[in-house]
Amino acid sequence: MKNGTIVVIGSGVIGLSTALHIQEHLPRSQKILITAREFPNVTSLNYASPWAGAHYRPVPGSSAQAAREESQARRTYGYFKRLAAEDPSSGVQLIDGEEHLEAPPPEYLDTALIHHFYAHLDGFRLLTAGETPAGVKWAARYRTFVINPPVYCAYLLRKFILNGGQVQEYTLVDPMEAFQMADNVQTVVNCSGLGFGDPKSFIIRGQTCLVRNPCAATVTRQNSDGTWSFCIPRPLGGGTIIGGTKQPRDWTPHPSPATRATLLANAAKWFPFTAESGGEFDVVRDIVGRRPAREGGMRIEAEKVGEERTIVHAYGAAGRGYELSWGVAQDVVQLMVENGLVQEKTSL
């Protein structure tokens, strides 16, 4: 069992969740350090987590990646369900969610597959023809969670520090640098988002709009042209996120006024904003963020980089960082247990 300092690279939702879960498996005498370019008190175009919506919705599929993410998402749903009940100050809230698909892909018409991906959601049911909005071919309702990302990331970081964790702001060029961040570092956990030069990694540009208007539910609508629209109320008076775009490998840093106009026009038509909104939106800001994606899904594996050193990789969640976060953290810790890097249970 290695007892040197464990260094976690990255303070996005994956890094913070993973560091917190690792911390639960360490003896009090063992140190854990998060080193990152940004922390939750700042905003940056390349620091994706504060820009997220964020909410939970299943993504059905038959690939190995879909199966892996389903397991991670299911466990994260259970975690957020408990957290919302036990500590609303975390910025997590359970509310009603709906999906409206105008041109559902084949997997949404597979009854067994839909049951597998949705059955764990409280109150899940398909909407009847009379409940389904015009133009929609597949619709469902369930209880889900929404998150106020800046509040939640600060909550995770505060909890980590109060439990004895350490933080250091530093821009790493190579993950091997992390072994020099403290004395006797033998394990580094790479939650850097894009990795370091991984040829499979790429960004997905997203543009959304934050408005002050309250919204009664989170709704996701797939449009007939393949684009998506959504509204996500942020708990604790954080307004509502209206989205959004998914633009792979698009590095444009500035928001598009035309995109904003389209997002707001769709929201006025389709989403349950309170009557006093009158179809008008009180815009707080346009948001552009870069989701760290990876071909084939997240890289979660242990890499030996010497006799006594190991890098555990956990990056590339794309737009599902919040949805997968706690399941990923559990998988990372399990991988560390299997490699003798942490103990099976917390040492007191």
Side-chain angles (χ1 to χ4, degrees):
M1 188 62 59
K2 298 181 179 181
N3 292 315
T5 299
I6 293 174
V7 175
V8 176
I9 301 171
S11 66
V13 67
I14 296 291
L16 293 169
S17 303
T18 299
L20 198 57
H21 196 45
I22 293 170
Q23 195 176 48
E24 295 173 356
H25 289 72
L26 299 181
R28 291 287 184 182
S29 59
Q30 188 169 5
K31 295 179 181 179
I32 179 169
L33 166 73
I34 297 175
T35 183
R37 184 182 58 218
E38 297 101 358
F39 282 92
N41 61 316
V42 301
T43 54
S44 165
L45 186 62
N46 295 307
Y47 180 32
S49 290
W51 303 119
H55 68 170
Y56 178 99
R57 59 175 291 269
V59 180
S62 54
S63 67
Q65 177 186 345
R68 181 174 65 250
E69 291 185 359
E70 190 277 333
S71 171
Q72 293 163 341
R74 182 185 295 255
R75 285 175 277 147
T76 303
Y77 181 84
Y79 168 77
F80 277 114
K81 183 178 174 180
R82 293 189 299 273
L83 187 59
E86 295 169 4
D87 195 351
S89 72
S90 63
V92 179
Q93 181 183 359
L94 276 165
I95 67 169
D96 288 332
E98 289 194 7
E99 293 183 43
H100 303 154
L101 277 62
E102 293 186 1
E107 53 264 29
Y108 283 89
L109 306 179
D110 184 329
T111 303
L113 193 65
I114 289 299
H115 183 268
H116 177 71
F117 276 79
Y118 283 83
H120 66 284
L121 299 172
D122 291 347
F124 167 70
R125 68 180 181 87
L126 297 176
L127 298 187
T128 65
E131 297 172 307
T132 302
V136 170
K137 303 267 191 339
W138 187 95
R141 179 180 297 154
Y142 46 81
R143 294 287 285 174
T144 188
F145 63 76
V146 290
I147 301 168
N148 186 323
V151 171
Y152 179 63
C153 286
Y155 169 86
L156 291 178
L157 181 60
R158 182 171 66 250
K159 193 172 180 179
F160 173 78
I161 292 172
L162 289 175
N163 287 345
Q166 300 176 338
V167 299
Q168 182 173 358
E169 185 178 324
Y170 187 83
T171 300
L172 296 168
V173 176
D174 189 288
M176 294 300 293
E177 282 187 272
F179 290 102
Q180 309 304 320
M181 292 290 100
D183 293 333
N184 192 27
V185 178
Q186 297 173 303
T187 304
V188 168
V189 183
N190 176 18
C191 300
S192 57
L194 287 170
F196 290 84
D198 185 336
K200 292 185 176 181
S201 291
F202 61 99
I203 60 109
I204 300 176
R205 181 184 183 273
Q207 180 174 333
T208 60
C209 190
L210 175 63
V211 300
R212 291 186 175 86
N213 307 57
C215 193
T218 178
V219 180
T220 302
R221 182 169 176 130
Q222 178 227 35
N223 310 314
S224 58
D225 63 0
T227 61
W228 294 81
S229 301
F230 55 80
C231 61
I232 307 173
R234 283 183 165 182
L236 303 177
T240 301
I241 291 287
I242 296 174
T245 66
K246 295 180 180 179
Q247 299 163 288
R249 297 178 173 86
D250 185 331
W251 292 91
T252 306
H254 307 297
S256 159
T259 298
R260 180 217 266 202
T262 298
L263 296 178
L264 296 183
N266 288 342
K269 286 189 295 185
W270 294 328
F271 300 146
F273 287 93
T274 52
E276 63 267 23
S277 295
E280 299 294 324
F281 293 102
D282 185 359
V283 176
V284 178
R285 67 177 300 168
D286 296 299
I287 293 172
V288 173
R290 293 169 177 162
R291 307 174 182 99
R294 185 173 181 273
E295 296 171 11
M298 286 192 73
R299 181 186 182 189
I300 301 178
E301 64 177 335
E303 178 187 7
K304 294 286 185 181
V305 290
E307 286 292 321
E308 298 294 330
R309 291 178 171 180
T310 305
I311 299 177
V312 180
H313 299 282
Y315 63 85
R320 302 200 72 195
Y322 286 87
E323 292 170 303
L324 307 181
S325 58
W326 204 252
V328 168
Q330 290 177 334
D331 288 351
V332 168
V333 168
Q334 183 57 40
L335 191 58
M336 294 176 74
V337 168
E338 292 168 1
N339 283 270
L341 305 176
V342 296
Q343 298 177 6
E344 183 71 50
K345 295 182 180 179
T346 305
S347 297
L348 300 177

